């Protein structure tokens, strides 16, 4: 008789064998989706990434959101180059939700391994993670990963389509395929001087089987990659025809103005809407529960944004307290410090015995650094438009029929579809998502609270499109903020001032734990690389080191802010290294280079930035005669290596006012698709990072955010922007991220320059002189 135990064991063994077998198989291709691409009349889909029309138009599918980072140009260039398309005939359109568009790179890069780790465990974890994300991951625009993740599949898609065009032409002409060439949208046979346009071949070519191993170009054969054609999104953004989320205006549109409990995480006990409903244009007032991490509130729906905002202000709510009712900024800082004293946390990187090396050092240093909560402050506040058209009662169910359309400026369209469907009581396949341009992302639109709210509000008004929008004040006071962080550093130096021990411990909340809970309802556990990245995953060669982080749960919503952990950990690391150099009486450049003996790419970037930034030469006085000084910093993030030299002075009329005159930046990001976009991203990151370094701070009092608008959390003004010079290191290495790596070195470069200028070591962000 077969026992239950044997059946269970047998089932487990079979399941284990299936998992092992699945893991051993190569990853599935990323060229064709679960459904053919929708094609217009006269269009032919070659794979999941490109269509060609009879009019020769080449339509390239974008699986990443355009939020100003130039992805609609650079990604199209990658495919068009392999296809040898005429760039003037290239169009782009947003991808549907499908597994082939899932982002593998950003999740693989999130594994907590050191960049120098070449071990089998890291390779196995990366392999299995990529396989898993291919099947059950998400379409994500983030982590500076768009080019890195799609570099190979989009090249393969272009090369495959080119090979199919060649095969179709060769068959029509009766010549060998290797005699057929493709140049700028034409298929040529040089010997017979015959040629065909893409559009003339598209129907026959698209019917051919997809090549199993399309041949890719060598870098010397690139015709578009490495050049700087005009950005595809530039003209529309200049003439005002670009469509962001707030520009969506389907017929019959109503507007919903959202108001949430001022206290983070607080509840809604009820409201009196009589005064609001008496105002002109007002349709209804809807209670909005706490959805996907958002605070509970209500929305007033009206026929114009103005009427909706007036009605929202007229509602009399009864708010209830939540878990953050007694929380303030001083309490957060104290709580993080106490947690760090009790437990240094999980060690992400260790070399030797750092504690013993500290004990035997000739000299020791220690310092404590702080970073505050920080808002994303996207210029386009959160918004989402939803049209809910439920099936009529009693009608026959139509499987998979679209019952809702969502227009959203989102970085995660698949996730937006999922949460909208949940809020509307539908299956995901019954919701269509149209991704608009994003008026700033910076990680804020990786969250989907505003999509869930919009869907819940639209559910109350079936058959009518409703655009839910946040005011600037709601956006500022109900963000998912960059986590606060406290870090304690210790270093041991030998008699020559060289670092013999490096110990870094920080404390703060976990973004990943909170994200899993609010989006998927999963309890987060274990280490979270984002808490410690920038501190442990660096090239410096420490003789002994321990770098750790202690996760502290706080009732404050935290999220992915541009460059995430790197944004503040780089400030801590590069500032403290400057302190070590000063204590050793050595030049900060030479001190860093001594720690990079086995990292020539990092050393080359640092040397070049120092050369271009005139490191070592006396800086000239500012135009008004003020004394100036320079500081430098080196940091690797999202695969790219960046060094910066900042030149600063103080305003002669206000000695507290910090001025940054010039920033020299050098980046090594591997192969560059569009050098102009790389420079724009560096400039954007430097301006963004300087604003955050000088002004960025969110404070809490009794659980309420104190900064509601840009007068309380300023952006950098044009007159205060430094001159920026960027140089890109030529490379044939695989492409790495460029959207975020320019930000982390900025704050420490400025802080180090201020120390050289004033002798004040600033260990807290934002930078404020005594």
């Amino acid at each position: 008789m077969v026992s239950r135990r044997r059946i269970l064991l047998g089932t487990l063994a079979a399941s284990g064998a299936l998992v092992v077998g699945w893991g051993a198989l190569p990853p599935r291709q990323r060229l064709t989706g679960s459904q053919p691409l929708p094609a217009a009349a006269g269009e032919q889909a070659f794979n999941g990434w490109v269509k060609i029309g009879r009019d020769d138009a080449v339509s390239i599918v974008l699986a990443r959101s355009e939020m100003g980072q130039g992805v609609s140009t650079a990604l199209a260039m990658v495919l068009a180059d392999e296809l040898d398309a005429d760039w003037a005939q290239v169009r782009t359109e947003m991808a549907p939700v499908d597994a082939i568009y899932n982002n593998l790179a950003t999740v693989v890069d999130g594994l907590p391994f050191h960049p120098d780790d070449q071990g089998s465990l890291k390779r196995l974890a990366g392999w299995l993670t990529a396989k898993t994300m291919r099947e059950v991951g998400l379409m994500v625009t983030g982590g500076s990963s768009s080019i890195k993740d799609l570099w190979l599949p989009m090249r393969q898609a272009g090369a495959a389509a080119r090979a199919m065009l060649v095969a179709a032409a060769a068959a029509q002409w009766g010549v060998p395929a290797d005699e057929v060439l493709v140049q700028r949208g034409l298929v040529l046979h040089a010997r017979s001087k015959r040629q065909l346009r893409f559009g003339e071949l598209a129907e026959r070519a698209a019917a051919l089987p997809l090549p199993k191993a399309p041949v890719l170009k060598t870098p010397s054969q690139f015709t578009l990659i490495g050049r700087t054609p005009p950005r595809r999104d530039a003209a529309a953004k200049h003439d005002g025809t670009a469509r962001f989320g707030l520009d969506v205006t389907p017929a019959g549109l109503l507007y919903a103005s959202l108001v949430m409990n001022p206290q983070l995480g607080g509840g809604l006990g009820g409201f009196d809407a009589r005064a609001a409903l008496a105002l002109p244009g007002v349709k209804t007032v809807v209670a909005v529960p706490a959805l996907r991490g958002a605070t509970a509130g209500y929305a007033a729906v009206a026929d114009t944004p103005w009427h909706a905002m007036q009605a929202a202000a007229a509602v009399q709510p009864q708010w209830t307290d939540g878990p953050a009712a007694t929380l303030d900024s001083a309490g957060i800082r104290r709580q993080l410090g106490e947690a760090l004293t009790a437990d240094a946390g999980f060690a992400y990187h260790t070399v030797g015995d750092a504690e013993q090396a500290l004990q035997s050092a000739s000299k020791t240093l220690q310092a404590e650094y702080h970073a505050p909560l920080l808002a994303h402050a996207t210029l386009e506040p959160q918004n989402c438009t939803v049209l809910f058209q439920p099936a009529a009662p009693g009608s026959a169910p139509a499987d998979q029929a679209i019952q809702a359309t969502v227009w959203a400026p989102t970085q995660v369209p698949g996730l937006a579809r999922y949460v909208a469907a949940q809020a509307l009581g539908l299956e995901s396949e019954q919701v269509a998502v149209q991704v608009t341009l994003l008026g700033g992302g910076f990680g804020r639109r990786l969250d989907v609270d505003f999509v869930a709210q919009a869907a819940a509000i639209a559910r109350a008004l079936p058959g009518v499109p409703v655009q839910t929008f946040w005011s600037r004040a709601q956006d500022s006071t109900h963000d998912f903020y960059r986590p606060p962080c406290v870090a304690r550093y210790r270093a041991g130096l030998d008699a020559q001032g060289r670092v013999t021990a490096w110990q870094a411990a920080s404390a703060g909340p976990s973004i990943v734990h909170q994200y899993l809970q609010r989006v998927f309802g999963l309890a987060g556990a274990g280490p979270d690389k984002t808490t410690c990245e920038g501190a442990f995953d660096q090239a410096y060669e420490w003789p002994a080191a321990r770098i750790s982080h202690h996760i502290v749960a706080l009732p404050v919503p935290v999220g992915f802010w541009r460059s995430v952990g790197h944004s503040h950990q780089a400030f801590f690391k590069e500032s403290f290294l400057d302190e070590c150099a000063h204590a050793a009486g050595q030049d900060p450049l030479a001190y860093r280079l001594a720690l990079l003996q086995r990292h020539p790419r990092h050393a080359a970037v640092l040397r070049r930035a120092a050369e271009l930034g005139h490191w070592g030469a006396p800086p000239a006085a500012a135009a008004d005669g003020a004394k100036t000084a320079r500081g430098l910093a080196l940091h690797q993030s999202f695969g790219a290596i960046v060094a910066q030299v900042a030149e600063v002075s103080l305003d002669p009329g206000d000695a507290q006012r910090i001025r940054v005159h010039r920033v020299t930046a050098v980046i090594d990001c591997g192969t560059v698709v569009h050098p102009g976009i790389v420079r724009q991203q560096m400039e954007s990151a430097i301006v963004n990072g300087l604003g955050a370094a000088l002004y960025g701070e969110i404070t809490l009092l009794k659980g309420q955010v104190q900064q509601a608008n840009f007068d309380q959390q300023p952006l950098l003004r044009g007159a205060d922007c430094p001159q920026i010079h960027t140089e890109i290191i030529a490379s044939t290495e695989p492409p790495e991220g460029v959207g975020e790596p320019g930000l982390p070195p900025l704050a420490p470069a400025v802080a180090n320059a201020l120390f050289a200028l004033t002798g004040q070591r600033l260990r807290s962000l934002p930078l404020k002189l005594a």
Side-chain angles (χ1 to χ4, degrees):
M1 182 177 183
V2 180
S3 69
R4 182 182 179 194
R5 175 183 171 82
R6 290 189 64 181
I7 291 175
L8 286 173
L9 289 174
T11 303
L12 287 172
S15 301
L18 286 173
V19 170
V20 170
W22 173 83
L25 291 172
R28 288 205 299 159
Q29 50 82 10
R30 299 175 71 186
L31 295 189
T32 54
S34 57
Q35 300 291 328
L37 276 180
E43 266 189 340
Q44 300 294 330
F46 280 66
N47 48 56
W49 298 91
V50 59
K51 298 181 291 186
I52 298 177
R54 277 199 295 266
D55 60 355
D56 301 327
V58 175
S59 297
I60 295 176
V61 169
L62 288 179
R64 301 293 176 262
S65 304
E66 176 62 81
M67 46 191 177
Q69 82 277 38
V71 71
S72 58
T73 302
L75 281 177
M77 288 172 65
V78 172
L79 192 149
D81 198 315
E82 288 287 353
L83 180 58
D84 276 317
D86 181 348
W87 183 244
Q89 294 173 331
V90 169
R91 313 283 185 267
T92 57
E93 63 183 47
M94 293 306 297
V97 176
D98 197 286
I100 68 165
Y101 308 122
N102 289 347
N103 191 324
L104 315 187
T106 191
V107 182
V108 173
D109 286 352
L111 297 173
F113 292 99
H114 192 278
D116 291 346
D117 186 345
Q118 301 299 322
S120 56
L121 178 60
K122 180 181 179 181
R123 291 197 298 274
L124 177 62
W127 165 268
L128 290 176
T129 301
K131 274 176 64 74
T132 305
M133 290 302 104
R134 162 64 177 80
E135 306 305 325
V136 298
L138 294 171
M139 289 175 64
V140 177
T141 306
S144 299
S145 63
S146 294
I147 294 293
K148 180 175 183 173
D149 180 59
L150 297 179
W151 172 247
L152 186 58
M154 292 196 76
R155 290 183 66 198
Q156 290 173 332
R162 173 164 50 90
M164 294 159 76
L165 289 165
V166 166
Q172 180 169 330
W173 292 330
V175 301
D178 60 5
E179 291 184 3
V180 178
L181 301 175
V182 182
Q183 291 180 353
R184 298 193 62 183
L186 294 175
V187 185
L188 310 168
H189 184 241
R191 197 151 54 87
S192 63
K193 300 187 184 308
R194 286 178 288 183
Q195 68 177 39
L196 289 166
R197 295 180 290 104
F198 276 12
E200 295 175 300
L201 282 168
E203 186 171 356
R204 285 189 296 266
L208 296 174
L210 195 69
K212 290 184 178 178
V215 178
L216 302 180
K217 290 181 176 181
T218 63
S220 64
Q221 295 173 310
F222 291 152
T223 55
L224 273 172
I225 292 171
R227 298 181 182 274
T228 56
R231 287 179 54 148
R232 304 191 60 82
D233 57 335
K237 287 176 176 173
H238 278 87
D239 65 22
T241 58
R243 287 169 62 82
F244 294 83
L246 288 170
D247 296 317
V248 173
T249 54
L253 181 66
L254 296 178
Y255 296 87
S257 178
L258 186 75
V259 176
M260 288 171 276
N261 188 327
Q263 182 193 101
L264 294 172
L268 177 66
F271 58 80
D272 182 348
R274 287 173 293 181
L277 293 170
L279 294 173
V282 178
K283 306 300 181 186
T284 187
V285 176
V286 181
V288 181
L291 293 170
R292 308 294 174 181
T295 295
Y298 63 86
V301 184
D303 54 5
T304 72
W306 173 254
H307 288 136
M309 293 173 70
Q310 294 299 302
V315 173
Q316 299 294 315
Q318 293 92 50
W319 302 124
T320 58
D321 283 347
T326 60
L327 198 65
D328 59 30
S329 296
I332 289 175
R333 186 160 163 171
R334 183 173 58 253
Q335 192 172 337
L336 297 185
E338 291 172 353
L340 201 50
T341 300
D343 183 357
F346 176 80
Y348 286 80
H349 187 57
T350 57
V351 181
D353 188 334
E355 191 60 41
Q356 186 177 57
L358 279 165
Q359 298 301 322
S360 58
S362 298
K363 185 176 186 178
T364 59
L365 288 81
Q366 62 182 23
E368 183 172 297
Y369 292 84
H370 307 95
L373 291 161
L374 208 55
H376 294 84
T378 59
L379 286 184
E380 181 192 26
Q382 309 316 306
N383 67 89
C384 179
T385 302
V386 178
L387 171 58
F388 177 45
Q389 295 175 301
S395 63
D399 291 341
Q400 312 304 320
I402 297 299
Q403 295 191 29
T405 301
V406 174
W407 294 265
T410 177
Q411 296 175 242
V412 282
L415 199 53
R417 184 177 72 160
Y418 167 74
V419 301
Q422 292 261 306
L424 292 167
L426 300 174
E427 299 296 326
S428 290
E429 290 73 17
Q430 294 175 302
V431 177
V433 173
Q434 297 191 22
V435 179
T436 68
L437 293 173
L438 281 62
F442 318 124
R444 174 62 180 91
R445 290 183 165 100
L446 290 169
D447 268 286
V448 286
D449 53 325
F450 58 96
V451 177
Q453 291 171 332
I457 294 166
R459 187 171 186 172
L461 295 109
V464 180
V466 181
Q467 183 177 102
T468 298
F469 64 96
W470 295 25
S471 67
R472 171 57 55 197
Q474 292 295 311
D475 196 293
S476 296
T477 56
H478 290 88
D479 201 346
F480 294 103
Y481 304 94
R482 185 185 76 176
C485 192
V486 172
R488 289 174 185 162
Y489 276 70
R490 298 171 69 198
L493 310 183
D494 65 14
Q496 287 73 45
R498 295 172 298 201
V499 175
T500 58
W502 183 269
Q503 198 176 78
S506 55
S510 162
I511 298 171
V512 172
H513 290 186
Q514 284 202 14
Y515 193 83
L516 289 174
Q517 178 64 50
R518 66 179 174 248
V519 176
F520 301 106
L522 300 173
D528 170 6
K529 181 191 172 187
T530 68
T531 60
C532 199
E533 62 186 1
F536 83 93
D537 46 351
Q538 295 302 308
Y540 294 124
E541 298 143 15
W542 313 117
R546 185 181 193 276
I547 301 166
S548 62
H549 183 87
H550 181 89
I551 292 176
V552 180
L554 294 173
V556 178
V558 296
F560 302 94
W561 195 87
R562 191 175 188 174
S563 75
V564 202
H566 294 279
S567 69
H568 48 281
Q569 293 284 4
F571 168 67
F572 305 157
K573 168 184 66 76
E574 288 295 304
S575 295
F576 189 63
L577 190 53
D578 222 62
E579 293 201 47
C580 293
H582 180 72
Q586 297 184 23
D587 173 70
L589 170 63
Y591 203 74
R592 285 172 170 80
L593 289 173
L595 294 167
L596 296 169
Q597 298 296 312
R598 297 192 299 276
H599 292 83
R601 287 180 71 182
H602 297 76
V605 169
L606 184 58
R607 284 196 187 93
R608 185 58 180 155
E611 180 183 1
L612 292 172
H614 306 291
W615 186 261
D624 55 14
K627 180 183 175 184
T628 63
R630 299 188 184 104
L632 61 75
L634 170 74
H635 195 75
Q636 179 176 2
S637 61
F638 307 95
I641 308 160
V642 177
Q644 292 174 358
V645 176
E647 192 169 309
V648 308
S649 75
L650 303 181
D651 188 336
D654 179 1
Q656 305 298 307
R657 181 169 175 263
I658 300 165
R659 304 182 304 184
V660 180
H661 299 283
R662 274 171 289 279
V663 177
T664 302
V666 175
I667 180 171
D668 180 345
C669 55
T671 298
V672 173
V673 173
H674 190 299
I677 289 177
V678 173
R679 292 191 177 88
Q680 290 164 12
Q681 286 295 289
M682 290 291 288
E683 292 164 2
S684 159
I686 288 167
V687 170
N688 193 186
L690 185 54
L694 297 182
Y695 316 123
E697 184 175 26
I698 289 295
T699 56
L700 292 182
L701 182 62
K702 296 183 178 178
Q704 297 186 25
V705 171
Q706 302 299 291
Q707 293 76 21
N709 213 323
F710 289 127
D711 59 326
Q712 296 160 317
Q713 49 164 348
L715 302 179
L716 198 69
R717 296 175 184 272
D720 296 325
C721 285
Q723 295 179 14
I724 299 173
H725 174 78
T726 299
E727 182 166 295
I728 305 167
I729 299 289
S731 173
T732 57
E733 295 290 324
E736 299 287 356
V738 300
E740 295 163 275
L743 190 145
L746 192 279
V750 171
N752 294 338
L754 288 168
F755 175 75
L757 183 70
T758 67
Q760 290 187 49
R761 181 63 68 183
L762 304 183
R763 299 189 178 96
S764 294
L765 292 173
L767 302 172
K768 295 177 181 175
L769 291 163

